Amino acid sequence: MKITESSFPIAAAAFMALFFTLPPTVQAKPFHFVIDQNIFFKNLEFNDISTIADGETLTGSVLKPRFRFGINEQLDTEIGGVVRLNFGEDSRRSEGDPLVSIHYKPRPGFRLTGGTLDTNHHLLDAIYNDDLELTDPNEQGFQFQARTRHWTQDAWIDWEQQERFSFAEKLTLGNYTQIRKDGFMADFQMLWIHFGGQQNTAGGVIDNLSLALGTGYTLFPSKTRRSENNLQNLGFSIHLLATFDDPNAGSSFADARDNKGVLGKLFARLHDTDFYLLAWSGEDNLGIRTQKGDIFYKSEHFIEAGIQKTWWLSEEVSLNIGFQLTKMRDQFVHTDIISFKWHGNYALFPKYFETLTQKENARREKRRDLSRIKRSRQHQGQGRR
């Protein structure tokens, strides 16, 4: 759904109307304006590997402004928009989608979302290309997230396209589960993409399933040693990956096949700078085919090294610079990354909410006093009898 900037004041006005009609709570939560912005430049310099991938430059801005209102301590709602501006494309100044979410938090660290989803899924790049955060930053459906001391969970369903007579439905079901203890970790990752439906005449049904099972270890030096050598962490991970395609006879999915591979990674953080070295090897000298994964993994094998540094310019704004060098089929290609990220969370009408809380608490205290007086009189009447 494409919208223009003029749609956002209308959405904001509707949300304000909702806000002023909601019943007060014992502890009224402030009304917030929240904004996330990512201004990015990502140069994919892929010369001489056109059989695998074509180079391109991604540059622009992803903006997510929204209003957030806490209905109670466990429930809040957001309304706003997701706007993507492509730099250097005068014919298409911007494209956007509405952002509408309800978040339920039954306990600290747990959240159930309906509406616009959190797209930071932690999946391997082989399964879910991180470029999608720049090119397709909006997902809508349902999501369950959990983060505790030993467990991280993200499970979601994203309805990308409803079925119509002339085209197929498309939906994505994803899962990321990680268990960790004393530096060790194990994780399970899944992404299932379904094309099809019962009414469309645009082709057959296609199911693309990507799975990953991994383990690893991260060493966190003690604070004393960390201050001496500035090493913040050091570790490794290894993952087994598999993809399965299940097109029916009427499908035109030419690359349908099942493949497997192994991905190993070494990583470290030194002086607040991230370093990594990874190696990919496909089974039987073949890569894997994933609908949303990095196209590099179509290659039978490659080695990649990377570095990324983040500077915090303020409490809300960071500057990120990164460089990746990849050796693939006896060729070297590189990726250059620069981005500014801004996250702001601003309370609106704080005095109003403070007054609202005081008034509501006073009303509730008055009702409790009247209830105590009524019970006292009832007891006194019973005593006279």
Side-chain angles (χ1 to χ4, degrees), residues 139-142 157-162 169-172:
E139 295 179 345
Q140 297 162 337
F142 293 91
I157 182 169
D158 170 29
W159 274 278
E160 300 186 45
Q161 182 172 274
Q162 290 189 5
E169 70 178 358
K170 181 180 180 182
L171 61 88
T172 299

Side-chain angles (χ1 to χ4, degrees), residues 52 262 278-288 296-304 326-331:
I52 297 296
V262 179
L278 65 81
W280 160 253
S281 178
E283 186 180 64
D284 299 326
N285 290 322
L286 296 173
I288 59 175
F296 272 14
Y297 291 85
K298 289 172 60 178
S299 173
E300 60 275 13
H301 55 77
F302 67 84
I303 298 175
E304 181 175 285
T326 307
K327 183 181 180 183
M328 180 185 301
R329 295 186 175 179
D330 298 323
Q331 301 291 335

Side-chain angles (χ1 to χ4, degrees), residues 227-352:
S227 62
E228 293 174 352
N229 55 27
N230 293 304
L231 178 64
Q232 293 160 280
N233 65 51
L234 176 68
F236 75 91
S237 65
I238 185 167
H239 286 85
L240 305 178
L241 288 88
T243 59
F244 306 92
D245 291 312
D246 185 22
N248 71 0
S251 172
S252 59
F253 193 43
D255 285 333
R257 64 188 189 190
D258 301 338
N259 296 108
K260 299 178 179 65
V262 179
L263 177 66
K265 183 177 182 180
L266 301 174
F267 56 88
R269 170 169 284 193
L270 182 66
H271 294 287
D272 294 322
T273 305
D274 292 304
F275 301 85
Y276 74 86
L277 175 68
L278 65 81
W280 160 253
S281 178
E283 186 180 64
D284 299 326
N285 290 322
L286 296 173
I288 59 175
R289 299 294 194 271
T290 59
Q291 288 288 327
K292 291 192 174 185
D294 191 327
I295 202 167
F296 272 14
Y297 291 85
K298 289 172 60 178
S299 173
E300 60 275 13
H301 55 77
F302 67 84
I303 298 175
E304 181 175 285
I307 179 174
Q308 180 165 310
K309 174 72 173 179
T310 299
W311 291 270
W312 284 96
L313 308 182
S314 73
E315 292 184 355
E316 300 176 343
V317 180
S318 64
L319 169 63
N320 307 275
I321 297 180
F323 177 77
Q324 300 169 357
L325 182 66
T326 307
K327 183 181 180 183
M328 180 185 301
R329 295 186 175 179
D330 298 323
Q331 301 291 335
F332 284 95
V333 298
H334 63 90
T335 301
D336 317 300
I337 306 168
I338 302 175
S339 70
F340 282 97
K341 294 183 178 180
W342 171 31
H343 173 76
N345 190 342
Y346 309 101
L348 305 178
F349 318 116
K351 292 184 178 180
Y352 168 80

Side-chain angles (χ1 to χ4, degrees), residues 108-110 122 145-153 178 180:
F110 291 76
H122 305 291
Q145 296 171 293
R147 184 169 183 86
T148 67
R149 183 179 178 184
H150 301 298
W151 175 42
T152 297
Q153 178 65 51
Q178 185 192 76
R180 53 191 175 273

Side-chain angles (χ1 to χ4, degrees), residues 61-79:
S61 172
V62 175
L63 181 66
K64 298 181 179 181
R66 57 204 184 272
F67 294 100
R68 176 186 296 161
F69 179 72
I71 300 173
N72 57 41
E73 291 298 323
Q74 295 180 315
L75 192 65
D76 59 52
T77 182
E78 294 181 325
I79 187 168

Side-chain angles (χ1 to χ4, degrees), residues 9 57 116 138 143 174 204 280 293-294 340 350 379 384:
T57 299
T116 303
N138 194 30
Q143 183 175 33
W280 160 253
D294 191 327
F340 282 97
H379 290 318
R384 293 193 186 100

